[in-house]
């Protein structure tokens, strides 16, 4: 990967909807070489997809919490079972396995406090293999969806 590939990636992180012609112009290439590089980056798995960034508040999801999950045991089966179950909860936007204690960090959105309480009581606290869940409420996001430093 060279400087031009990094420019292409930076431009796509800034605006993933721009046309190939605009992208080529911004990185100072003609369309054909830019297209070849773009396809090579996609095929190599550097670019994993394109998506729209949505405003949770505009969709009525104004409540956000971070959950810290400690597992009862860290066996391969318990980890796989938990990870499969947590991946099926649509309100979980992020689930990361951590070194040390706690075992997982989850980022969860809900409509409001009562919706979060229902979600917590009915789905999150009952995830398989969980010993303890503690949560903290997000006051506001300071940095979010930042492009990767290239």
């Amino acid at each position: 990967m060279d400087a031009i590939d990094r420019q292409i990636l930076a431009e796509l992180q800034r605006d993933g909807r721009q046309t190939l012609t605009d992208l080529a112009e911004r990185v100072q290439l003609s369309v054909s070489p830019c297209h070849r590089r773009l396809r090579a980056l996609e095929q190599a798995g550097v670019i994993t997809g394109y998506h729209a960034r949505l405003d949770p508040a505009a969709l009525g999801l104004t409540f956000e919490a971070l959950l810290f999950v400690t597992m009862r045991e860290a066996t391969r089966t318990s980890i796989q079972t938990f990870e499969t179950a947590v991946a099926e909860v649509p309100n979980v936007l992020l689930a990361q396995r951590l070194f040390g204690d706690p075992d997982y960090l989850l980022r969860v959105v809900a409509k409001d406090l009562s919706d979060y309480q229902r979600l917590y009581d009915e789905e999150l606290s009952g995830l398989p293999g969980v010993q303890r869940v503690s949560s903290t409420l997000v006051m506001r996001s300071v940095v979010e969806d930042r492009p990767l430093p290239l």
Side-chain angles (χ1 to χ4, degrees):
M1 184 177 311
D2 63 12
I4 294 172
D5 288 336
R6 291 184 188 283
Q7 280 183 289
I8 289 171
L9 295 172
E11 281 297 324
L12 288 174
Q13 284 188 111
R14 189 185 61 72
D15 179 6
R17 289 186 53 148
Q18 63 187 293
T19 66
L20 184 58
T21 304
D22 289 341
L23 177 62
E25 184 178 308
R26 286 189 176 109
V27 299
Q28 300 177 344
L29 285 177
S30 61
V31 173
S32 291
C34 183
H35 190 237
R36 278 194 299 276
R37 285 174 176 265
L38 181 60
R39 276 201 314 214
L41 291 165
E42 290 170 345
Q43 290 170 350
V46 176
I47 298 172
T48 59
Y50 301 88
H51 68 278
R53 196 173 331 163
L54 307 178
D55 179 2
L59 298 168
L61 299 168
T62 59
F63 190 90
E64 184 175 339
L66 299 176
L67 279 69
F68 302 96
V69 178
T70 301
M71 303 295 290
R72 268 193 296 276
E73 56 185 3
T75 65
R76 180 178 296 174
T77 302
S78 66
I79 288 168
Q80 288 174 343
T81 304
F82 171 80
E83 290 180 0
T84 299
V86 81
E88 293 175 7
V89 180
N91 294 67
V92 175
L93 301 184
L94 173 76
Q96 295 180 315
R97 186 168 178 207
L98 308 174
F99 282 108
D101 187 35
D103 297 303
Y104 289 90
L105 168 65
L106 308 181
R107 180 178 171 215
V108 177
V109 294
K111 293 176 191 168
D112 52 29
L113 179 59
S114 62
D115 185 44
Y116 173 72
Q117 182 179 356
R118 180 207 52 78
L119 179 68
Y120 184 93
D121 291 344
E122 294 177 10
E123 296 187 57
L124 300 171
S125 63
L127 288 167
V130 172
Q131 175 182 335
R132 183 177 70 248
V133 177
S134 69
S135 60
T136 187
L137 305 181
V138 175
M139 182 183 299
R140 71 182 169 104
S141 292
V142 178
V143 176
E144 192 168 298
D145 294 327
R146 174 181 280 166
L148 294 175
L150 300 171

